[in-house]
Amino acid sequence: MATEGLRENETLASLKNEAESLKGKLEEERAKLHDVELHQVAERVEALGQFVMKTRRTLKGHGNKVLCMDWCKDKRRIVSSSQDGKVIVWDSFTTNKEHAVTMPCTWVMACAYAPSGCAIACGGLDNKCSVYPLTFDKNENMAAKKKSVAMHTNYLSACSFTNSDMQILTASGDGTCALWDVESGQLLQSFHGHGADVLCLDLAPSETGNTFVSGGCDKKAMVWDMRSGQCIQSFETHDSDINSVRYYPSGDAFASGSDDATCRLYDLRADREVAIYSKESIIFGASSVDFSLSGRLLFAGYNDYTINVWDVLKGSRVSILFGHENRVSTLRVSPDGTAFCSGSWDHTLRIWA
Amino acid sequence: MPCLRKVSQHRPRAAGAAPGPVWWVLARQMERMIVSMQDPDMGVKMRNQRLLITVIPHAMTGNDIVEWLIQKYGISEEESLHLGNLIVKHGYIYPLKDPRNLVLRADESPYRFQTPYFWTSTKWPATELDYAIYLAKKNIRKQGDLIEHEKDNYNLLHKRINHTWDFVVMQAREQLRAAKQRRKGDRIVIDCQEQAYWLVNRPPPGAPNVLEQGPERRNCHTTRVQLVSGGYRAHGPVALATSSRCSCRYIKFNEQYVPHDPIMSGCLPSNPWITDDTTYWAMNAPMVPTPTKLRVERWGFNFSELLTDPLGRAQLLDFLKKEFSAENLSFWEACEELRYGEQSRIPEIVDSIYQQFLAPGATRWVNIDSKTMERTLEGIKTPHRYVMDDAQMHIYMLMKKDSYPRFLKSELYRNLLAEAVIPPETKKRVFPFMRKQRHSSPSPALLPPAGDTEDCGGLMLAVT
């Protein structure tokens, strides 16, 4: 990203003012297109009936706070990581642990399953993202085949494989996101623009596009073009850190969860926030969000140990799920939408259906 | 096997270090709630509570708190109790009976609002000195009979701040003397308040530390204004749309997909997580001889659905073969392999694509418009990951706009729909103790990688 020097009649203050007035103009333009709220249009949609979801599996085995998890494409295996450095691969259907590795750092805040199901990636306070091929060879030490891929200058907060095992996208406390070639560890593209730690990212579902969204401590959600490294859209309506972002299944929108105790829906084509999911009684931050397969439901895990289920269209809360005994730190819906998994600081993961 | 743990232990937040702005966000929200709970007109009903022989004013029962939350926020009793418990755990309300347990009971147990002086956000940080004085007071009052963890902490502090210990003891004695001059009721209240404060700021072992926030944030100091060349939108104008048009898209998407959403509409024969029966997964495996009706219907929603389903893609390939345009799909797959492939193999893959699809006289020559072809051929002189983007998009759109609609009208697709199965529903077993055995499945990591046949790109591996 090229940075130019100041021109003669420009000062930092004058440029800041110009930026603010441009922002204002942009908001004006956006507002002109805002003729009606989503939940108003959704009034004609049938209301949801009684909603019952229960814990169907409890995965116990982590000795400390569970920080992150991801599903395998086989719809039943998951990888999870925790504060004590342990990363575990489970067949969550049988609750058997299949692999375990101990990272040389604590607070492994990010983990991801490779699309092939043959490897996992993880990282945290070591400022790196490492890839471990999964092996069933009893004689092989998983840690021996570890490949260090990403190097940031601060903690790794999120990571995700792209459409193959060979590329990883990372987000970091150093305020940047980056795309890496797994084989060589080469940095393919970096993404600068957040004014503070980046806490989360999600890749757009489209197979034609090449974009992803990130959220950070600067209260901004930014949409990036992976090829050019440019930020193509930016949203700043949250009042605090954005802990989680997730695309709506069609790819036209994304949801965010924040420490301001709200979740929001941002439409990419309208280029604005179109819904807020909040309740006066919910005062704890939302740590992670994900959509059900149809995008009708938004599951959000909170720091008050609960999971709230929102009607995405109507904006109302459908249900609240109790069970965890400490913060819910991570939440993902399974690839075929049959269940979702939540991980918590209470050391357990739960599968809900 | 010893694990070679390179100790880069995260330094826990030093006692006295501010928890960071994130804590303040929650504290402010909670305090706002607490203030409204204490509203003289609309707040929680307060009255005198009797503790043995002493009367404590401005107290309330656990029941009152729960009821108030139910009424104020329109929530269930379960949610109200849960929220109330968190308020107590964070020390904003404390119990008068059994003050060592910060727990909210939905009964006649008495509670009081914590004085703002002792709000964690007010008295921040909780210093070692303050804690030492508190423990010293307790030590004197109980004549050395402290509970274990307090005894340990006392000894630890005694060692650590030994140089100020005289001051600590002096302060402790002074505070105890001043307390003796208060009425019994006030003394009890102040003791409870102080105890609650320390339970939150120095939780006993085993108790959750509600103040723990995780690793420190705001570590990058990007305060400079980023001067970006190219402006705010570097990617061309974003097609802005009206809200109502966008909302209609959500409605339409919802209508289409809700029947396919297992959580919303259930799934047939049953949801494996609920009944322990994996038939649903078996019937929807990536490659099955007979797909389900829902699956085949979904291919009709949009081109993307057809393409991303390995079975759908295979059907599309069969159809394209009949139309003599199968090379389009193969080209598209090869371009995907380039986009998501290893950096080191880029020149090799680009060359392979050129030889197979673009070179004059190539066996599977793709029909791209001349301008795009020219641009692409020029581009591959310096091959890079995105060099085929234009050509790939051209072919993708061709398949989407041209071949796909014909596929949907074709006999091939109509037969697929007709032959597709609708599994009968299996209800959950009535007798849960006759639980079905949960069969394991082979891990994808065990399977040999999918063979690189001519037809399927090596990237999208079939995973059971």
Side-chain angles (χ1 to χ4, degrees), chain A residues 34-35 74 76-77 104 164 167 181 197 207 227 232 241 252 267 271 292 294 304 317 336 338, chain B residues 6 79 82 217-219 233 235 243-244 249-250 261 271 281 304 340 343 385 396 439 441 464:
Chain A
H34 182 54
D35 45 359
D74 77 347
R76 47 190 285 174
R77 282 173 172 78
S164 79
Q167 288 183 318
D181 176 62
D197 312 20
E207 74 283 345
R227 179 173 166 174
I232 43 181
D241 303 0
D252 290 338
D267 189 296
D271 193 34
S292 72
S294 64
D304 65 2
R317 187 186 63 183
D336 65 353
T338 49
Chain B
K6 194 162 61 179
E79 190 174 352
H82 182 87
R217 293 182 179 178
R218 263 156 281 284
N219 291 290
R233 292 262 165 76
H235 207 70
S243 291
S244 53
R249 269 190 286 110
Y250 292 109
D261 185 338
N271 187 319
W281 284 334
S304 180
Y340 298 108
Q343 187 72 3
R385 187 177 294 274
Y396 178 86
H439 294 288
S441 73
T464 50

Side-chain angles (χ1 to χ4, degrees), chain A residues 16-166:
Chain A
K16 268 190 175 164
N17 283 336
E18 199 183 327
E20 283 307 313
S21 88
L22 281 172
K23 262 194 204 168
K25 284 214 185 92
L26 206 67
E27 280 310 311
E28 262 180 61
E29 288 303 313
R30 280 175 171 172
K32 280 185 195 152
L33 296 169
H34 182 54
D35 45 359
V36 70
E37 300 281 357
L38 172 60
H39 66 86
Q40 287 170 284
V41 178
E43 259 158 38
R44 59 185 154 119
V45 177
E46 214 180 287
L48 294 173
Q50 246 261 303
F51 193 80
V52 177
M53 274 188 101
K54 295 192 201 149
T55 301
R56 305 290 174 176
R57 302 284 191 277
T58 305
L59 304 178
K60 297 191 186 161
H62 276 293
N64 215 312
K65 308 178 176 65
V66 176
L67 303 176
C68 187
M69 63 80 45
D70 190 20
W71 287 91
C72 173
K73 283 213 162 77
D74 77 347
K75 307 152 191 173
R76 47 190 285 174
R77 282 173 172 78
I78 62 168
V79 61
S80 60
S81 62
S82 76
Q83 181 192 355
D84 60 5
K86 277 233 165 43
V87 179
I88 302 178
V89 173
W90 319 67
D91 175 353
S92 57
F93 188 71
T94 58
T95 73
N96 292 337
K97 300 185 208 24
E98 293 190 340
H99 304 89
V101 73
T102 307
M103 293 276 286
C105 70
T106 57
W107 290 92
V108 186
M109 295 176 269
C111 65
Y113 223 119
S116 69
C118 298
I120 54 157
C122 52
L125 284 186
D126 57 2
N127 301 356
K128 299 195 214 142
C129 185
S130 309
V131 174
Y132 291 86
L134 295 176
T135 171
F136 280 94
D137 189 340
K138 294 269 193 301
N139 299 319
E140 237 178 50
N141 176 6
M142 239 177 89
K145 288 263 164 92
K146 165 180 164 180
K147 205 183 293 185
S148 263
V149 175
M151 300 270 282
H152 279 279
T153 54
N154 218 301
Y155 63 85
L156 189 82
S157 56
C159 65
S160 173
F161 286 89
T162 60
N163 274 12
S164 79
D165 285 17
M166 293 168 259

Side-chain angles (χ1 to χ4, degrees), chain A residues 191-251:
Chain A
F191 306 88
H192 297 258
H194 275 288
D197 312 20
V198 188
L199 299 177
C200 51
L201 60 80
D202 192 34
L203 281 148
S206 165
E207 74 283 345
T208 52
N210 225 2
T211 62
F212 72 96
V213 62
S214 65
C217 291
D218 56 356
K219 313 174 195 174
K220 282 203 232 160
M222 301 178 86
V223 181
W224 306 87
D225 174 66
M226 274 169 74
R227 179 173 166 174
S228 64
Q230 296 287 346
C231 168
I232 43 181
Q233 276 174 285
S234 176
F235 303 88
E236 194 174 350
T237 62
H238 271 294
D239 297 320
S240 189
D241 303 0
I242 297 179
N243 297 311
S244 173
V245 286
R246 193 73 65 212
Y247 273 92
Y248 182 76
S250 72

